[in-house]
Amino acid sequence: MKDYYLKKADENMPVQTNRIKASDTVVEIYEDESKHMGIGFKTVGTIKDELVPGDKFILDFGDHCVGKLSFKVNRVKTYLDAPVKLKLKFGEIPYEMSRDFSTFYGTLCQSWLQEEIIYVDYEGLVEMPRRYAFRFLEVEVLATPRKIRLSEFQVKITTCADESNMEPLPEGTDPMLVKIDKVSARTLADCMQEVYEDGPKRDRRLWSGDLRVQALTDSVLFKNKELAKRCMYLFAACQKDGQYLPGCLYYKPELFYDEGMGISDYALIYAVTLCDYYENYGDKETALDLYPIAAKQVDLAMSIHDEDGIITFLDGWVAFIDWAEGIKKRTAVQGVYLYALEKMEKLARDLGKTEDADRYAKHLEITRKNAYEKLFCKEKNAFINKYDDEQYSVQAQVWMILGGVICGEEAKSVLKQSFEKATVIPGTPYMHHYVMEAMMKLGMKDEAIAYMKSYWGEMVELGADTFWEVHVPGKQMLTHMKDPLLNSWCHAWSCSPSYFIRKYFID
Ligand code: RAM
């Protein structure tokens, strides 16, 4: 089956659209406490006509780009009788440009930092072979035998998002929502390469948690059905008996996934991705083809509930849920399971798999009831319980609501109270996506709009061209890799505001 799934993935390899973006706008960065991470930038002119060793400038491409860079090196007067040595440094945000990359102290491999020293043997066009994700490019002349001119800097943008499919928002749409939608769309488009990458600067891999949010948002933006299909087939090729799907995979130079990268909630979210896909595109053939893989995830989760009827973790498997200090995850994972089960029940019924649908429906009812009894604390009006060491998190409340354990006014009061009283709050835009989903499920449209404007809107106000991997208001230097230099500033799981705006907020 693996070969079959890989073949299907190959058949759905997306076509890259190539657009050119040029710049000769030179900017200067400066320290300013009021700017994002304390660094601002301002336009100061264009590239000098003549450059000598020691000269350096920062180009601004005006927006986040993903693609390959080219430029021209020419003599000013005399023949260049030695190579020209240049240093190029790429950054998604001004803060990166303010840092000397050799000072990086983070935990991930520093080779993700986008920096090159190149030697140009002959003048003319220089085409850089690698792909970069950036808005800013610093060029430093390290050595040249004579004065040189550098010009025609341009990026051949790569994405498989067909931006002509994106409908304009209706006139009169709240201007902040228009801005948020634009940044969301840029974020998604720049992550749409040969798979839905999590971040085009760092990781560049396919994670099932990110995939779900991307494919969902894509269904209201560029509608690249093939890409969603391809990614689901790639995951299908990783299925092993008695295990969940891996949380992430690499597809180059050949399919690979890390056995130690098992994330149970992400595996369940894979099933949700297939359910969304069928709902949004109505492609029954693919849904039937991948149904067994999706069913395996929920069936496995169903088989590992403990004697109290609460989900457990397979040996060696973790849960992600969110990046939030000290977060306990059992209640939330139970919610993810119920959320996936409800969607799978519908998919099974739509595909004529009545036996499965009935089985899922039955389990859904029993498990919801049980979760309410065992995980909910009436006195505290919250899902606070021994399974999570009595921890009070927004995440647990959100997932119990999405899992259908509580609903209506009771759920609203649980959610609203958690915003004020929980000690663990969402840390990633990924988790904020599910907070938004919970609000929409409870019919809290106005609150959801306000929530989006305050959370994603704050990133826009801080100058985001694309949405970030992590954002916690008031903690701009926050990172999960020790050094924020390697945070990803165009991150897939942050792209979903467009989904809510286009599906629910406009008429
Ligand atoms: C990080 C990435 C990715 C996410 C995982 C769990 O490595 O940000 O997007 O899905 O964590």
Side-chain angles (χ1 to χ4, degrees):
M1 279 312 264
K2 182 178 170 190
D3 289 346
Y4 167 75
Y5 291 136
L6 282 177
K7 189 171 152 278
K8 294 295 275 185
D10 279 354
E11 283 169 13
N12 287 285
M13 177 64 97
V15 180
Q16 298 291 316
T17 59
N18 285 320
R19 188 164 52 89
I20 301 292
K21 200 160 188 2
S23 170
D24 71 341
T25 306
V26 174
V27 294
E28 230 169 58
I29 52 159
Y30 57 92
E31 287 182 21
D32 180 343
E33 279 313 306
S34 69
K35 303 288 182 194
H36 179 227
M37 300 170 93
I39 307 293
F41 70 95
K42 59 171 190 273
T43 305
V44 290
T46 52
I47 308 171
K48 282 200 301 187
D49 282 345
E50 300 182 357
L51 297 159
V52 294
D55 276 339
K56 112 166 138 166
F57 56 89
I58 299 177
L59 281 181
D60 174 12
F61 282 78
D63 202 353
H64 189 273
C65 314
V66 177
K68 291 189 175 174
L69 179 78
S70 66
F71 58 95
K72 281 190 175 161
V73 178
N74 290 102
R75 72 185 94 171
V76 172
K77 280 197 188 118
T78 320
Y79 183 79
L80 302 173
D81 61 355
V84 173
K85 184 179 178 185
L86 302 172
K87 184 171 168 194
L88 307 176
K89 180 170 121 183
F90 303 80
E92 296 183 303
I93 58 163
Y95 172 76
E96 287 167 286
M97 306 316 284
S98 77
R99 286 279 303 273
D100 173 347
F101 286 2
S102 68
T103 64
F104 176 67
Y105 55 91
T107 47
L108 287 181
C109 188
Q110 53 107 350
S111 58
W112 282 121
L113 295 169
Q114 308 177 102
E115 187 172 48
E116 314 277 357
I117 289 184
I118 62 162
Y119 293 83
V120 183
D121 290 315
Y122 302 105
E123 59 184 307
L125 183 68
V126 178
E127 289 182 292
M128 303 289 290
R130 301 183 67 214
R131 199 193 84 191
Y132 307 96
F134 67 107
R135 168 171 174 169
F136 301 102
L137 165 67
E138 185 182 86
V139 182
E140 185 176 353
V141 182
L142 295 179
T144 174
R146 312 258 182 261
K147 286 181 184 169
I148 50 165
R149 179 163 300 135
L150 297 178
S151 62
E152 296 184 37
F153 282 85
Q154 56 181 45
V155 196
K156 198 184 267 180
I157 306 270
T158 58
T159 172
C160 66
D162 181 353
E163 295 184 35
S164 67
N165 275 353
M166 185 176 151
E167 280 167 34
L169 292 176
E171 263 186 50
T173 306
D174 178 328
M176 182 42 109
L177 293 185
V178 174
K179 283 188 197 161
I180 293 176
D181 181 66
K182 181 169 171 263
V183 176
S184 300
R186 180 81 279 123
T187 307
L188 179 60
D190 286 358
C191 291
M192 287 171 65
Q193 302 295 327
E194 289 182 9
V195 294
Y196 287 109
E197 293 182 1
D198 63 331
K201 176 180 89 171
R202 200 214 71 231
D203 280 13
R204 298 191 184 186
R205 68 198 63 156
L206 176 61
W207 290 85
S208 40
D210 304 57
L211 162 64
R212 192 272 162 142
V213 171
Q214 289 171 291
L216 186 67
T217 307
D218 195 11
S219 72
V220 299
L221 278 175
F222 316 116
K223 306 174 186 68
N224 195 330
K225 178 178 155 194
E226 285 69 36
L227 186 63
K229 214 172 158 182
R230 168 172 161 75
C231 293
M232 289 188 297
Y233 275 109
L234 282 172
F235 270 112
C238 302
Q239 180 68 58
K240 280 202 175 158
D241 276 352
Q243 286 190 6
Y244 286 125
L245 287 176
C248 82
L249 61 83
Y250 313 77
Y251 64 99
K252 267 183 174 168
E254 71 271 310
L255 183 73
F256 176 78
Y257 62 92
D258 194 341
E259 301 272 350
M261 214 32 120
I263 302 181
S264 46
D265 48 326
Y266 272 22
L268 291 163
I269 289 293
Y270 173 87
V272 172
T273 309
L274 183 66
C275 299
D276 292 343
Y277 175 84
Y278 182 62
E279 193 178 318
N280 293 326
Y281 297 112
D283 173 359
K284 197 164 183 177
E285 194 186 322
T286 304
L288 277 167
D289 214 16
L290 292 173
Y291 175 84
I293 304 286
K296 272 200 173 107
Q297 314 311 309
V298 284
D299 288 346
L300 181 59
M302 191 183 286
S303 72
I304 53 167
H305 280 60
D306 67 11
E307 59 286 357
D308 288 348
I310 305 298
I311 198 163
T312 59
F313 296 127
L314 276 184
D315 262 0
W317 288 72
V318 296
F320 174 65
I321 300 295
D322 191 17
W323 275 329
E325 188 91 17
I327 181 178
K328 306 282 177 196
K329 303 173 177 175
R330 198 114 173 245
T331 306
V333 173
Q334 184 79 61
V336 177
Y337 165 68
L338 290 168
Y339 173 77
L341 195 61
E342 180 178 343
K343 292 191 186 272
M344 280 298 286
E345 190 224 331
K346 182 168 185 310
L347 181 67
R349 219 168 281 292
D350 288 348
L351 296 180
K353 313 233 173 230
T354 319
E355 233 175 74
D356 276 1
D358 291 346
R359 187 163 55 87
Y360 291 156
K362 200 166 146 223
H363 207 256
L364 199 55
E365 199 191 324
I366 299 169
T367 314
R368 275 180 178 157
K369 217 163 135 245
N370 185 58
Y372 189 72
E373 275 164 23
K374 306 261 170 50
L375 302 176
F376 191 62
C377 172
K378 284 217 174 82
E379 298 77 64
K380 294 180 183 152
N381 190 37
F383 288 89
I384 299 177
N385 51 65
K386 64 176 184 188
Y387 302 90
D388 283 337
D389 298 337
E390 307 300 323
Q391 183 182 78
Y392 189 5
S393 73
V394 171
Q395 291 85 339
Q397 319 310 312
V398 164
W399 277 113
M400 285 284 101
I401 291 166
L402 290 174
V405 179
I406 43 169
C407 54
E409 288 309 312
E410 183 182 23
K412 271 191 206 170
S413 105
V414 164
L415 185 64
K416 285 186 185 166
Q417 180 189 290
S418 77
F419 291 155
E420 273 142 41
K421 294 194 180 159
T423 50
V424 177
I425 59 165
T428 56
Y430 174 74
M431 188 60 220
H432 283 282
H433 167 91
Y434 288 106
V435 176
M436 292 283 301
E437 266 200 36
M439 286 187 181
M440 292 315 298
K441 184 174 184 191
L442 300 177
M444 298 164 66
K445 182 175 160 188
D446 292 344
E447 287 96 329
I449 294 178
Y451 191 89
M452 175 184 285
K453 284 167 75 171
S454 121
Y455 183 70
W456 279 273
E458 185 173 285
M459 286 190 250
V460 169
E461 269 158 7
L462 286 167
D465 301 306
T466 45
F467 288 125
W468 310 329
E469 179 177 25
V470 269
H471 174 57
V472 175
K475 292 189 179 170
Q476 292 186 13
M477 300 306 269
L478 185 70
T479 179
H480 296 274
M481 289 116 203
K482 224 168 136 210
D483 183 343
L485 189 54
L486 258 192
N487 282 15
S488 161
W489 304 101
C490 172
H491 211 69
W493 66 16
S494 318
C495 73
S496 64
S498 288
Y499 165 72
F500 294 104
I501 294 171
R502 287 163 184 268
K503 176 143 181 151
Y504 300 112
F505 299 168
I506 54 172
D507 303 318

